Amino acid sequence: MKKLNLIAAATVLTASTSAYADPMIISEWSFVNEAGFFDWTTRGNGTNSISSSGDSSDGGTSILSSGALPDNLCWGDPAGGSGGNQSCLSINSPVSNNTTQTWDEDGMMTDLNGGAPQGNVMTVGIDADYTSAFKQGTAVKHDNFPITGEFLDTVSIRDGLKLTAAAPAGVEVLAPELEFMVDFWETPNAGLDADGTCPFGPAAFTAGSVNENGCSDIFNIVGFDGAGDLNIVASGDGFIDFSVKFQVSGVDASMYHRDYELITRLSGLDVTFDNNGVGFVTRENGVNILNAQFAVRAIDAPEPSTLAVFAVSLLGLAGFSRRKFK
């Protein structure tokens, strides 16, 4: 009978522990997003070697593990002489909750929030829709112009995000730092063969198409296939959404929810998939913007099994019985 009473008491205790209120979701964050280039390689020879410039932290304290990186690369000899332009990749970095502008589709600065700061990111609940919660992050601009000589072959991008909770005060999180190796394809403008075949889309110089000014270039993000810590959650003709999980430390887990995911949307360019990863298509003889936005969503925390909770309850009751006997 005593054993039955003990088990019954343990069952009641186990049930009562599950009746406690769920920990509060950390609902609001200020943020800094920083990104830059490193480890680039080139192919071919020409008058102009690839050049790097800029500072991903704008002279401030960098949040990247490497410290500040260049946020601008230019390469190639302008086709047609000195009157042309080099091709360049640039990153609009850093971006924060206090940022008021970003690049539009033509590469011009435009207001995000009527000229006011874009504001803090608000956490989305577990399994809730995140698409209305996006905040502007860093964006990549490709000034794509006809060139000869030395071409960009590969380049890596390092991207970091620092989140600071509005409450509880003083809680900071460095979200998992992302690194992408980009395999850049500077395609022949007239096409791959006599028919003007392009790697993506219709033949070169097809009016009204992505290849209207010649075959578009492609920068392929190698290994971006949803493996490892990255999870592709949605994609379409002009966007791809991926997530990475993170956990908040330094808070009382009984009071505050600790498990979240960072969801990033890349958009603004045509997307192409192959066996190596995801490619983004950039039109010739113009400016192309790969926009990056992000949201924070709470996710389910790993829970101890019922058996484990039951065992802890039994141990607690056994300790109580021993103290009573003594």
Side-chain angles (χ1 to χ4, degrees):
M1 180 62 71
K2 289 182 179 180
K3 288 183 178 179
L4 289 175
N5 289 340
L6 182 63
I7 293 173
T11 303
V12 171
L13 180 59
T14 302
S16 67
T17 58
S18 65
Y20 291 146
D22 291 334
M24 293 184 293
I25 289 174
I26 299 176
S27 61
E28 183 177 354
W29 313 80
S30 60
F31 65 90
V32 176
N33 184 201
E34 180 184 351
F37 301 113
F38 68 103
D39 284 352
W40 53 85
T41 64
T42 62
R43 55 188 173 86
N45 294 290
T47 303
N48 295 305
S49 298
I50 193 167
S51 61
S52 62
S53 60
D55 180 338
S56 59
S57 67
D58 272 354
T61 300
S62 176
I63 64 171
L64 300 179
S65 60
S66 58
L69 295 170
D71 56 12
N72 190 70
L73 298 177
C74 291
W75 65 92
D77 302 332
S82 60
N85 297 297
Q86 287 187 293
S87 281
C88 296
L89 280 178
S90 303
I91 300 178
N92 181 22
S93 176
V95 174
S96 74
N97 51 288
N98 292 318
T99 296
T100 61
Q101 292 187 316
T102 191
W103 286 320
D104 64 14
E105 62 181 9
D106 297 317
M108 305 298 292
M109 297 303 291
T110 185
D111 288 342
L112 281 170
N113 188 29
Q118 64 172 325
N120 292 349
V121 62
M122 309 301 292
T123 304
V124 176
I126 296 172
D127 294 329
D129 177 52
Y130 58 85
T131 55
S132 62
F134 280 126
K135 290 296 180 180
Q136 181 65 45
T138 59
V140 178
K141 179 172 67 169
H142 181 203
D143 295 305
N144 188 0
F145 295 105
I147 59 169
T148 60
E150 187 176 80
F151 298 89
L152 178 67
D153 188 19
T154 64
V155 63
S156 292
I157 298 174
R158 180 171 291 136
D159 187 288
L161 177 70
K162 180 180 179 181
L163 297 166
T164 302
V171 172
E172 294 183 345
V173 176
L174 283 175
E177 192 171 82
L178 303 177
E179 289 188 5
F180 304 111
M181 200 279 274
V182 176
D183 185 7
F184 195 83
W185 191 353
E186 188 89 42
T187 61
N189 291 350
L192 303 177
D193 54 30
D195 295 330
T197 302
C198 295
F200 179 88
F205 308 111
T206 299
S209 75
V210 69
N211 297 324
E212 184 172 19
N213 299 319
C215 287
S216 298
D217 293 339
I218 298 174
F219 60 97
N220 192 69
I221 301 180
V222 178
F224 196 102
D225 55 5
D229 294 331
L230 291 180
N231 177 38
I232 296 177
V233 295
S235 63
D237 291 338
F239 76 95
I240 181 169
D241 296 350
F242 64 92
S243 71
V244 61
K245 297 176 182 178
F246 68 92
Q247 190 174 74
V248 179
S249 60
V251 296
D252 185 342
S254 67
M255 294 181 61
Y256 292 100
H257 192 83
R258 298 177 62 194
D259 295 275
Y260 302 85
E261 63 179 340
L262 174 67
I263 303 175
T264 300
R265 168 167 289 187
L266 301 179
S267 64
L269 300 176
D270 288 319
V271 180
T272 176
F273 293 88
D274 63 24
N275 293 332
N276 294 320
V278 177
F280 295 93
V281 181
T282 66
R283 296 171 181 261
E284 280 289 341
N285 204 28
V287 176
N288 300 265
I289 303 297
L290 180 61
N291 195 33
Q293 299 168 296
F294 72 92
V296 174
R297 181 164 66 177
I299 58 176
D300 285 320
E303 294 183 359
S305 68
T306 302
L307 181 60
V309 175
F310 183 73
V312 170
S313 301
L314 286 175
L315 288 173
L317 286 172
F320 174 78
S321 298
R322 284 194 298 269
R323 287 194 299 272
K324 183 178 180 182
F325 177 77
K326 289 180 180 178

